[in-house]
Amino acid sequence: MLVVSLAPAADGAKYASELGVVTSAPRPLNVGLIGLGTVGSQVAERMLSWGPQLSRRAGVELCLQKVLVRDVAKRRTIEISPDLLTADPSEILENPAVEVVMEVAGGDEPMRSYIERAIHAGKHVITANKVVMAKHGPELLDAAAGKNVDVYFEAAVGGGIPLISTFRTDLQANRIERVSAVINGTTNYVLGRMASAGLPMADAVREAQEAGYAEADPSDDIGGFDATYKLAILASIAYEIKVRPDEIYREGIEGIEPVDFRYARELGYAIKLIAHTQRHPGRVEARVHPALVSLEHPLARVEGAENAVFVEGDLVGQVLLVGQGAGGRPTASAVVGDLIDLARSIRRGVQSRPSFSFDDRVGVIPIGEVKTRAYYRIRVDDRPGVLAAIGQVFAEEGVSISSFIQKDAWSHDMTVELVVTTHPSLEASLQKARERMARLEPVHAVSAFLRVF
Ligand SMILES: NC(=O)c1ccc[n+]([C@@H]2O[C@H](COP(=O)([O-])OP(=O)(O)OC[C@H]3O[C@@H](n4cnc5c(N)ncnc54)[C@H](OP(=O)(O)O)[C@@H]3O)[C@@H](O)[C@H]2O)c1
């Protein structure tokens, strides 16, 4: 019987003879794990508790050889032999017995270097690290191809949702036209609570932290950075081009107020943090920002900390992938799934999935050249001529108005709030209109400027 062993096996042959297994049985696949936190402990736990099943599916015994952590003395949430733990990266990266390195520690350095070292040592890599894959993925994949090893990164985007494997295998016959996603659970939870309970953002963030959906420092999520890393990976994979996070237009959800949800609903929209990429002749569009999403669109119905990715391919049409985008268990599902897939191909001596070849000639369109619709919330003096002045700005910028809402005057300062949505226009014109309106004498503030998706 094949089992997952947590006892180190120096080499497959010795292990096999100790067990009295027939010598023709394949030697175990030795795995080094980097990180034993939220994700890593669930990966180790799955390997411990479900060993025989995993090994049967992999067609080879999976053996956890070493686990790299920062602090070997730290109390762990799972029971694990202290002998397995190390704080010395070379015990994994330079260990000739280790064939696969699973990195679930996170952050750019030293993890990028560790992954590079593993590849150069001829080891396959599985990583959940979106920062490393977004910033350095194409180079690491090129290096891996040069060493005839593979880098798997299903868990780096969308936690447990099978995204990378879907692009890498099931959608291979397609030219991907666009990918639109709600890909950050924290912001989706926060926006959802602002919409349903009318909470100010600070309160919704605090609630998300208490519920375990937001980090103590939530700025990566709220500022749209996390979604940008994920979109960089998705766009690179979808089009086989190198899309860097700093080429993606990014706006966080910081400026949104509870009143925007009321106006949005009145107009037939929800508000979501949208990551969107779309193919254009010779270039691609890639942007992350909050947007009004039609209540009819599936992305408007993504609730709580869930993620959803909407893909359009020329052959398959539209595909929607939905699920838990974070959390130790869903993410471990992706990591261990990668391990089984990789183990099968290693033992068969084949690469089961096509490798990437990135086209350097295709770039990202500057945001000003992108066409989109916009929503403006404007506070103005309640007096004649204001609408005409605002209408003139839009007309001069070539932006045509789609809808318009005006609420009653505020009794104390005689101002009113205007909400304007536009037809599709160049982003540069929409921005220019926003700046010019803010300078008009009767305009107190352009309090909100959002895209309409
Ligand atoms: N958590 C999620 O829901 C989720 C979802 C999708 C993807 N991911 C990705 O998965 C990765 C891990 O996330 P996590 O939430 O599990 O992180 P975590 O709970 O903070 O755990 C990090 C682990 O890595 C170890 N570690 C960190 N830096 C290290 C270093 N320099 N050398 C050795 N060990 C180091 C830590 O060791 P100590 O325990 O000794 O401190 C800890 O065990 C990240 O890339 C994250 O983006 C996470």
Side-chain angles (χ1 to χ4, degrees):
M1 189 178 67
L2 299 168
V3 289
V4 162
S5 166
L6 286 180
D11 64 62
K14 177 166 172 275
Y15 187 84
S17 67
E18 275 170 2
L19 279 182
V21 183
V22 285
T23 47
S24 60
R27 63 193 169 82
L29 184 71
N30 290 329
V31 179
L33 180 63
I34 302 180
L36 196 62
T38 307
V39 178
S41 55
Q42 291 301 323
V43 169
E45 169 75 14
R46 195 60 168 185
M47 292 184 72
L48 274 166
S49 62
W50 235 54
Q53 291 90 333
L54 299 181
S55 295
R56 194 175 59 245
R57 288 176 190 181
V60 62
E61 180 189 341
L62 301 170
C63 176
L64 193 56
Q65 182 88 8
K66 271 287 170 206
V67 182
L68 177 68
V69 290
R70 265 180 306 216
D71 176 5
V72 290
K74 188 166 155 182
R75 247 181 105 84
R76 301 288 161 187
T77 53
I78 59 159
E79 255 181 58
I80 191 154
S81 160
D83 295 345
L84 278 177
L85 301 183
T86 178
D88 175 3
S90 67
E91 285 198 44
I92 288 179
L93 302 174
E94 271 80 55
N95 182 343
V98 169
E99 281 182 80
V100 178
V101 174
M102 295 200 291
E103 186 271 310
V104 287
D108 195 342
E109 289 295 346
M111 295 307 149
R112 187 206 61 82
S113 313
Y114 288 178
I115 292 173
E116 196 177 60
R117 269 164 72 182
I119 291 169
H120 284 140
K123 301 180 195 308
H124 301 273
V125 172
I126 296 166
T127 179
N129 196 322
K130 60 192 149 256
V131 181
V132 166
M133 289 312 292
K135 288 183 169 176
H136 318 289
E139 289 72 28
L140 292 171
L141 289 165
D142 283 348
K147 280 289 200 178
N148 210 20
V149 294
D150 213 338
V151 175
Y152 280 59
F153 49 99
E154 184 62 67
V157 188
I161 310 172
L163 290 174
I164 306 300
S165 59
T166 304
F167 281 110
R168 247 183 138 172
T169 54
D170 308 295
L171 297 177
Q172 277 292 304
N174 286 264
R175 190 180 68 182
I176 304 298
E177 301 295 350
R178 58 176 66 89
V179 181
S180 312
V182 170
I183 200 85
N184 180 270
T186 306
T187 44
N188 204 49
Y189 181 90
V190 168
L191 294 174
R193 292 298 293 148
M194 290 178 77
S196 63
L199 297 180
M201 183 161 303
D203 292 357
V205 169
R206 203 169 310 115
E207 201 184 279
Q209 285 167 327
E210 282 161 13
Y213 293 127
E215 307 268 343
D217 174 5
S219 46
D220 251 18
D221 296 315
I222 301 297
F225 296 96
D226 175 87
T228 303
Y229 289 135
K230 291 168 177 171
L231 185 63
I233 298 172
L234 283 181
S236 300
I237 300 311
Y239 310 124
E240 294 202 68
I241 62 173
K242 295 177 182 173
V243 177
R244 309 289 175 183
D246 56 12
E247 293 173 308
I248 294 176
Y249 179 77
R250 177 193 53 78
E251 261 177 45
I253 63 167
E254 298 93 338
I256 300 172
E257 293 178 38
V259 67
D260 292 311
F261 294 90
R262 293 201 289 276
Y263 285 126
R265 184 155 279 277
E266 198 172 316
L267 291 161
Y269 297 96
I271 300 178
K272 299 283 174 189
L273 182 71
I274 293 290
H276 176 74
T277 178
Q278 188 170 335
R279 182 190 290 276
H280 293 271
R283 294 191 297 176
V284 301
E285 174 184 336
R287 49 193 166 106
V288 168
H289 52 63
L292 275 70
V293 181
S294 164
L295 292 170
E296 309 294 312
H297 196 288
L299 292 183
R301 294 193 285 273
V302 183
E303 297 293 344
E306 239 178 22
N307 283 187
V309 180
F310 196 71
V311 186
E312 205 175 307
D314 64 340
L315 209 50
V316 73
Q318 296 178 335
V319 176
L320 181 68
L321 298 135
V322 187
Q324 292 303 311
R329 286 170 63 82
T331 310
S333 160
V335 173
V336 180
D338 274 353
L339 176 62
I340 292 172
D341 194 14
L342 177 61
R344 281 199 202 118
S345 18
I346 293 173
R347 285 300 171 248
R348 285 189 196 138
V350 292
Q351 227 167 357
S352 64
R353 303 207 264 186
S355 55
F356 298 102
S357 65
F358 293 100
D359 186 345
D360 284 323
R361 294 164 305 171
V362 180
V364 176
I365 301 176
I367 187 67
E369 296 175 32
V370 164
K371 261 195 164 181
T372 181
R373 296 179 59 207
Y375 155 103
Y376 300 81
R377 178 164 53 86
I378 314 159
R379 178 153 295 285
V380 298
D381 283 337
D382 187 20
R383 61 173 151 103
V386 177
L387 287 185
I390 286 176
Q392 192 180 346
V393 168
F394 278 122
E396 285 174 7
E397 293 304 329
V399 175
S400 97
I401 292 173
S402 162
S403 73
F404 177 82
I405 301 174
Q406 178 180 340
K407 296 291 180 190
D408 288 342
W410 280 24
S411 50
H412 65 278
D413 66 355
M414 291 308 287
T415 66
V416 285
E417 202 151 61
L418 306 179
V419 168
V420 179
T421 64
T422 73
H423 287 297
S425 307
L426 275 182
E427 169 81 17
S429 308
L430 295 167
Q431 291 279 6
K432 190 88 184 298
R434 174 197 194 180
E435 286 161 22
R436 285 186 57 189
M437 275 189 291
R439 288 200 301 270
L440 290 176
E441 193 264 322
V443 171
H444 288 232
V446 179
S447 315
F449 171 70
L450 298 168
R451 309 321 179 289
V452 180
F453 187 64

